Amino acid sequence: MSAPAIQCDVAIVGAGPAGLGAAIRLRNSGVKRVVVLEREAAAGGIPRHCGHPPFGWPEFQRILKGPEYALRLQQAADAAGVDIRTETSVVQIEPGPMLQVTTPAGPAQIEAARVLLATGARETPRSARLISGTRPMGVLTTGALQSMVYLKSQRPFMRPVITGTELVSFSALLSCRHAKIRPVAMLEEHSRPTAWRASVWLPRLLGVRLEMNTQLIAIEGNDRVSGVLVRRGENSVEKIACDGVVFCGRFVAEASLACMGHIDVNPVFGTPVTDQFGRCSDARFFAAGNMVHPADTSGRCWHDGITTADHIVQSLAGNLPSPNNAIAIESAEPVIRYVIPQRLSVDPRPAKDAALCVRFSSEAKGTLHLKVNDSPIVSKRVRARPEKQVAVALPDDIFSSKPKRLKLTFEPSC
Amino acid sequence: MTAELNSPPVSEYCEPARQTNTSARQLCDVLVVGGGVVGCAVTRRLALAGAHVILAEKEADILEGASKGNSAILHTGFDAPPNSVEQGCIADGYREFLEIQSRLNLPLVKTGAMVLAWDHEQAARIDAIVAKAHANGVKDVAEISTDAARAQVPALGTGFTRAVHIPGESLLDPWSTPLAYLHQALAHGAEFLHHCEVHTGEFDGNRWRVATSQGELQARWLVNSAGLYGDQLHHQLIGEPRFRIRPRKGQFLVYDKSANQLTDTIILPTPQETTKGIVICPTIFGNLLVGPTAEDQESRADASVDTATLSRLKSVGESIVPGLKEHSITGVYAGIRPATDARDYQLEADSKRQYLCIGGIRSTGLSAALGIARRAAKLILGDQSAADTPDSIQWPSVPQISEAGQRDWMRPDNGGIVCHCELVTRREIKNALLGPLPARSLSGLKRRTRATMGRCQGFYCSAELSELTQGHLDCPLGI
Ligand SMILES: Cc1cc2nc3c(=O)[nH]c(=O)nc-3n(C[C@H](O)[C@H](O)[C@H](O)COP(=O)(O)OP(=O)(O)OC[C@H]3O[C@@H](n4cnc5c(N)ncnc54)[C@H](O)[C@@H]3O)c2cc1C
Ligand SMILES: Cc1cc2nc3c(=O)[nH]c(=O)nc-3n(C[C@H](O)[C@H](O)[C@H](O)COP(=O)(O)OP(=O)(O)OC[C@H]3O[C@@H](n4cnc5c(N)ncnc54)[C@H](O)[C@@H]3O)c2cc1C
């Protein structure tokens, strides 16, 4: 690794909506050398292979399919003078900041004044769900299914089952339809769909059986999937014949660079620890998009990229408060999946539109309290569902002095 | 833009690639049946000694049986039964592996291992473990203080009372290693037949005539290294075997790369009669394994996993190394040991019928294979065959895919990355689909490159892999 390092002001890892949104904003704010590093052959992130709407409303005031949206983002970045380098994988982050990358031509190094990590999120595959059974071909996540169907016109199976009823499960349905794949059934463990209640109409419209209270417990088949075992209710186990399984959702942050590097990662959420500026434990690194809150819509990730870009501009100008004066938000509630940011840096300036973003791991009804030194300063009644983000607005002076303790609690109502 | 897709009939899914009929083949010196690690090592040793060898494997690729899923530890044999065939083969195999490893471009990481005792009963066995190791010639095995053990692996949980250090236990690449053995054999004139199942055979006093799924083969000697099917094959060829295979499954959890920092030493429990117990083991690919279980079962083929056992493994792992809780699981798998009722390997030559059976190579075969091969060659070819490797031989090198050496992505003009999690290059994928032993299945491709074995399990790379492998796999990714 001897070639001289490439120098830039801000290096952005990941050319998805968050990374490109940030890059465009940085350029428009006068930052000169903005380089986006993307490991795929084209910029655009996940939308590149989501050949269905809705994308693009907040950004372009249009409803677009994923690939059209990705193309527009990339064109906007080009027009803004962003230096996008595709087929460039960041393999390691180091203090400096210094990035070790590899390209088809070989390894290289990139030095930047600031780094933005915008590497997205991925779905939980079969292995990490510890599902029983054999390990045949034809067991995929939605992301893998989509890229096969939309990018390569290939079909991994003809009659799969689809698991889960998150939003992304409906993407799986649409992707199947596009490729003339006919799912045998859509399985949901719980008694109501994870996404909105009305979503049950989509499988019905497409002629796919939606089976509630049905849990996939095992996969059968040698070379390819021959069927799955499902548990219905308490103890009835049944076999469904099929030739594939799509595991949808249960997104986790694609935070391996942070996990393997010097940046703090919250062990429970798997996301990098950030403050209200999107700043990591190494204050020259920032994070935005799905890797901070897996998983959101592209519009929100794009918006998060823009907000974080504004903070990076301030950071470059030396206007952000010291990161050393930060306090962690404690939250030991099992129902709280994550809260963002996880730390607050003390900042004498009035906080504008400051909010905590809270996500729940299961359905819950009750009151969220943010407690400063054990007395609640903000309370919010919530009816939470796992896929829904809850924003808790913070008072203007929240950051002005350093409290001893900051704690987020949840009080269930009956 | 996406092209129209149309659906092929289901029956076209898995059409095995045909190869030339075997009937045209001449008489060979030795027919080795079974392309596990043992068969590959035996084929190599015999070919190096100048014999004309054919290796017949019923599956599309080598390593589809017991050798598919193991812990990938190069054992010293410190806990093998003293004076057993197994112990001798492990010692010889270990020695030869160290000699040839770098010439075949095979990685080796000398991690060392620790045996920990977690209760009184285990603690009481520690002295015997050290004594046995010494009796087996593994002289550097010694008890260390619990503080020293903790200094070596600070992530260890509390509660163990005694610890033994085995400096020689090491990690190897479980797939490239046998692949390299076979590559070297091919370079010395051996032949490999895939999809070639041996059904029956007859020895006419001079030669074997063997009926296979690819027609008849003829050989002077026949070696049965059929692993999990060794007793069945013996029955088909010779008659009642003296041993019965008792398949014993072992399930594993594979943790993500970040967990690898928890230990750079193999953590072994106090060994028991039937099993080495649950091991926490770094891998040469930079992950961390927890496993295997020891589950007796009827099936020789069923390597399925189950939620309850995997969850139990998770809690056992977390009790030994509590920090595992903070790391994610990226893979699960199971392997099946060709165990028998006997406590030793079943190595048996019938020189009248020119038949050698290598059976019951249960849980140490990866380490012992080269040693087994030496014994096999000696039994078949006589004493001079086991002489040390001559200088004139060829050393083809296999691609280096472990984290112990330079990876292809670190080199110029690698063609770019296809599998981002495991950093597998386009060039590596293409190479694995070509050459004398190309991958013909997705699992074969995984073993040669690590593609799709990382944390995303194909979320990002399935599509591109499907395209790159078109026309190469018996069972294609896209249909
Ligand atoms: C199947 C599916 C369907 C969806 N449908 C919709 C929809 O209809 N509407 C909607 O609004 N949203 C949808 N989403 C969500 C939307 O795609 C995401 O919210 C959005 O793409 C997240 O943007 P991001 O920039 O944070 O991450 P991503 O889009 O995931 O981009 C991250 C980028 O980082 C790159 N990267 C990662 N690691 C490295 C590295 N080490 N080096 C270099 N590059 C790296 C990746 O290759 C990727 O291009 C869908 C998501 C999925 C999975
Ligand atoms: C869970 C587990 C963990 C282990 N850990 C370790 C370890 O850390 N270190 C170590 O040294 N060892 C380990 N082992 C042991 C090691 O994996 C085995 O000892 C070894 O793989 C046995 O190899 P084999 O060649 O005898 O059998 P196999 O690999 O089963 O090979 C036999 C081959 O013969 C083929 N075959 C069968 N019948 C026919 C026929 N009629 N015609 C043609 N082909 C046929 C099969 O398809 C198969 O490919 C472990 C094993 C397991 C299961």
Side-chain angles (χ1 to χ4, degrees):
Chain A
M1 306 206 172
S2 53
I6 298 160
Q7 315 268 336
C8 64
D9 297 311
V10 181
I12 298 175
V13 189
L20 291 179
I24 296 167
R25 181 66 154 218
L26 285 165
R27 284 289 303 145
N28 292 344
S29 310
V31 179
K32 285 211 174 62
R33 293 165 307 173
V34 179
V35 178
V36 180
L37 309 163
E38 169 55 54
R39 60 191 184 181
E40 297 291 340
I46 286 189
R48 276 190 321 121
H49 55 70
C50 299
H52 56 72
F55 286 88
W57 188 253
E59 303 89 321
F60 305 111
Q61 288 74 52
R62 274 188 176 74
I63 305 255
L64 302 168
K65 288 184 181 175
E68 298 161 2
Y69 165 76
L71 187 65
R72 274 184 183 243
L73 276 182
Q74 183 227 303
Q75 286 166 343
D78 287 341
V82 175
D83 179 359
I84 303 179
R85 309 210 174 184
T86 53
E87 289 194 276
T88 303
S89 308
V90 178
V91 292
Q92 200 174 311
I93 57 172
E94 292 167 12
M98 171 75 90
L99 303 177
Q100 303 292 347
V101 307
T102 178
T103 70
Q109 294 186 315
I110 292 173
E111 255 174 35
R114 297 291 181 274
V115 170
L116 173 63
L117 301 172
T119 48
R122 60 173 193 274
E123 297 165 279
T124 299
R126 176 254 172 105
S127 53
R129 298 174 190 236
L130 307 184
I131 300 279
S132 295
T134 54
R135 300 186 305 127
M137 279 165 53
V139 180
L140 276 74
T141 51
T142 320
L145 167 67
Q146 286 206 325
S147 45
M148 281 185 82
V149 163
Y150 289 113
L151 296 180
K152 305 291 180 191
S153 301
Q154 300 224 354
R155 279 183 302 214
F157 37 55
M158 295 309 298
R159 302 280 287 149
V161 295
I162 293 177
T163 69
T165 51
E166 286 186 43
L167 275 181
V168 62
S169 319
F170 300 98
S171 290
L173 270 183
L174 293 174
S175 310
C176 286
R177 194 173 97 111
H178 173 84
K180 302 199 170 72
I181 294 169
R182 292 176 37 234
V184 177
M186 196 166 180
L187 312 177
E188 169 54 54
E189 280 175 39
H190 301 108
S191 55
R192 57 177 287 176
T194 313
W196 3 271
R197 255 181 214 281
S199 59
V200 298
W201 285 103
L202 185 62
R204 279 194 203 156
L205 270 174
L206 299 177
V208 177
R209 207 162 79 216
L210 175 61
E211 303 199 15
M212 306 303 292
N213 295 312
T214 306
Q215 185 190 6
L216 189 152
I217 55 172
I219 295 175
E220 296 185 341
N222 294 322
D223 287 339
R224 293 197 190 268
V225 177
S226 61
V228 294
L229 295 183
V230 297
R231 183 180 292 130
R232 291 210 170 85
E234 279 301 284
N235 35 22
S236 110
V237 173
E238 257 173 63
K239 180 172 170 164
I240 300 180
C242 60
D243 70 351
V245 181
V246 190
F247 282 106
C248 302
R250 295 203 194 160
F251 281 90
V252 294
E254 175 65 21
S256 50
L257 284 176
C259 293
M260 301 295 290
H262 64 292
I263 280 180
D264 289 353
V265 174
N266 183 309
V268 184
F269 314 141
T271 58
V273 176
T274 50
D275 68 5
Q276 71 267 35
F277 306 112
R279 200 159 50 159
C280 300
S281 58
D282 173 341
R284 295 191 165 131
F285 284 79
F286 291 73
N290 263 355
M291 81 158 335
V292 185
H293 36 81
D296 244 322
T297 62
S298 54
R300 276 178 190 258
C301 293
W302 172 80
H303 188 262
D304 188 32
I306 290 177
T307 317
T308 311
D310 290 344
H311 297 315
I312 294 175
V313 171
Q314 293 303 318
S315 168
L316 284 168
N319 292 339
L320 288 192
S322 158
N324 301 332
N325 230 350
I327 177 156
I329 301 173
E330 300 164 39
S331 112
E333 306 279 358
V335 289
I336 298 181
R337 183 165 161 224
Y338 61 68
V339 48
I340 296 159
Q342 290 144 21
R343 344 189 301 151
L344 297 181
S345 292
V346 176
D347 186 357
R349 299 170 301 176
K352 78 171 165 42
D353 306 333
L356 292 183
C357 163
V358 184
R359 201 135 179 183
F360 286 72
S361 43
S362 54
E363 256 180 74
K365 211 167 116 186
T367 313
L368 268 175
H369 300 290
L370 180 66
K371 295 180 178 167
V372 173
N373 301 338
D374 292 325
S375 50
I377 55 155
V378 184
S379 297
K380 180 170 183 168
R381 288 189 61 82
V382 291
R383 246 196 118 132
R385 302 232 310 278
E387 80 292 355
K388 227 175 93 185
Q389 213 125 245
V390 176
V392 182
L394 297 176
D396 286 356
D397 59 351
I398 176 81
F399 308 125
S400 58
S401 66
K402 185 171 177 174
K404 278 203 203 67
R405 290 187 81 181
L406 215 49
K407 206 168 162 185
L408 191 68
T409 61
F410 182 71
E411 190 190 324
S413 59
C414 11
Chain B
M1 283 292 92
T2 46
E4 248 328 271
L5 296 147
N6 47 52
S7 44
V10 178
S11 60
E12 279 177 26
Y13 283 6
C14 292
E15 189 61 30
R18 291 274 156 253
Q19 55 195 350
T20 49
N21 201 300
T22 50
S23 57
R25 274 170 219 282
Q26 297 166 338
L27 169 72
C28 68
D29 294 326
V30 187
L31 173 64
V32 178
V33 185
V37 62
V38 172
C40 291
V42 169
T43 304
R44 167 183 178 270
R45 173 50 58 196
L46 292 169
L48 289 182
H52 176 209
V53 196
I54 292 179
L55 174 62
E57 166 56 51
K58 68 182 168 75
E59 303 293 335
D61 194 9
I62 59 168
L63 312 183
E64 286 287 350
S67 308
K68 188 177 193 165
N70 53 51
S71 319
I73 301 173
L74 179 66
H75 293 298
T76 54
F78 76 97
D79 59 344
N83 302 317
S84 60
V85 178
E86 179 175 16
Q87 188 270 321
C89 290
I90 298 175
D92 290 348
Y94 187 92
R95 203 174 309 118
E96 185 174 348
F97 186 78
L98 259 52
E99 278 163 28
I100 66 171
Q101 153 256 332
S102 64
R103 292 218 261 180
L104 286 171
N105 201 25
L106 291 172
L108 173 75
V109 181
K110 232 175 161 185
T111 52
M114 286 192 299
V115 167
L116 301 180
W118 296 87
D119 59 28
H120 284 308
E121 190 256 333
Q122 292 177 3
R125 293 214 303 273
I126 290 289
D127 293 330
I129 289 169
V130 176
K132 192 190 217 180
H134 292 173
N136 283 342
V138 192
K139 302 278 191 218
D140 56 0
V141 170
E143 179 166 9
I144 54 172
S145 70
T146 50
D147 285 346
R150 190 171 298 288
Q152 192 147 332
V153 183
L156 276 175
T158 51
F160 63 94
T161 54
R162 295 184 77 178
V164 176
H165 186 221
I166 309 106
E169 297 278 296
S170 307
L171 306 179
L172 44 64
D173 173 342
W175 303 304
S176 301
T177 297
L179 192 67
Y181 298 165
L182 187 53
H183 263 289
Q184 195 177 25
L186 298 189
H188 283 263
E191 286 178 73
F192 173 59
L193 301 177
H194 56 90
H195 292 114
C196 181
E197 178 167 4
V198 170
H199 297 310
T200 55
E202 220 156 287
F203 185 69
D204 66 6
N206 180 32
R207 64 175 66 180
W208 277 95
R209 289 175 191 280
V210 178
T212 80
S213 55
Q214 308 263 348
E216 190 188 78
L217 288 173
Q218 296 187 15
R220 297 256 180 243
W221 269 82
L222 196 146
V223 175
N224 172 356
S225 56
L228 289 157
Y229 299 87
D231 55 345
Q232 287 184 353
L233 184 67
H234 188 98
H235 188 84
Q236 287 153 6
L237 296 169
I238 300 285
E240 261 322 286
R242 287 207 321 210
F243 64 94
R244 280 254 166 277
I245 293 293
R246 305 272 183 228
R248 187 173 297 145
K249 182 160 75 182
Q251 302 189 39
F252 290 93
L253 299 177
V254 188
Y255 280 82
D256 201 356
K257 307 265 188 279
S258 58
N260 190 258
Q261 67 210 20
L262 291 171
T263 175
D264 47 19
T265 301
I266 302 163
I267 304 168
L268 305 167
T270 308
Q272 274 142 26
E273 280 298 299
T274 49
T275 156
K276 291 186 183 297
I278 308 280
V279 180
I280 307 228
C281 181
T283 76
I284 205 146
F285 307 126
N287 297 77
L288 197 74
L289 289 181
V290 176
T293 53
E295 305 163 53
D296 289 316
Q297 63 180 32
E298 280 301 311
S299 169
R300 301 161 193 251
D302 177 9
S304 59
V305 294
D306 69 275
T307 311
T309 307
L310 297 173
S311 309
R312 189 174 64 77
L313 274 179
K314 188 165 181 291
S315 48
V316 171
E318 289 171 0
S319 71
I320 301 170
V321 176
L324 276 173
K325 285 196 193 84
E326 300 187 354
H327 297 271
S328 51
I329 293 164
T330 61
V332 297
Y333 68 94
I336 310 173
R337 306 170 187 86
T340 64
D341 294 332
R343 291 192 53 206
D344 203 353
Y345 290 176
Q346 301 294 306
L347 218 70
E348 192 187 339
D350 177 343
S351 49
K352 277 209 207 78
R353 276 189 279 192
Q354 304 189 359
Y355 169 79
L356 172 66
C357 179
I358 309 176
I361 313 299
R362 42 189 188 152
S363 47
T364 46
L366 188 57
S367 312
L370 294 172
I372 296 170
R374 281 177 175 254
R375 293 194 182 211
K378 203 164 165 181
L379 289 166
I380 294 173
L381 304 174
D383 276 343
Q384 87 288 356
S385 70
D388 272 321
T389 320
D391 278 340
S392 62
I393 63 174
Q394 306 200 35
W395 296 96
S397 71
V398 285
Q400 201 296 116
I401 60 168
S402 83
E403 295 303 306
Q406 201 191 36
R407 296 276 312 277
D408 195 45
W409 65 262
M410 300 171 178
R411 304 215 305 257
D413 301 321
N414 57 50
I417 308 279
V418 175
C419 167
H420 298 295
C421 303
E422 297 296 311
L423 295 168
V424 182
T425 66
R426 199 162 280 109
R427 179 164 66 187
E428 286 177 305
I429 304 280
K430 285 183 174 159
N431 284 344
L433 297 167
L434 304 170
L437 286 170
R440 292 184 187 83
S441 61
L442 178 62
S443 57
L445 185 67
K446 288 181 178 185
R447 289 194 288 270
R448 283 167 181 77
T449 64
R450 295 165 52 180
T452 76
M453 295 177 68
R455 58 185 77 88
C456 90
Q457 298 275 305
F459 180 89
Y460 293 106
C461 68
S462 296
E464 171 131 37
L465 270 184
S466 160
E467 188 178 58
L468 283 172
T469 55
Q470 242 170 40
H472 289 279
L473 306 185
D474 293 355
C475 206
L477 272 76
I479 55 181

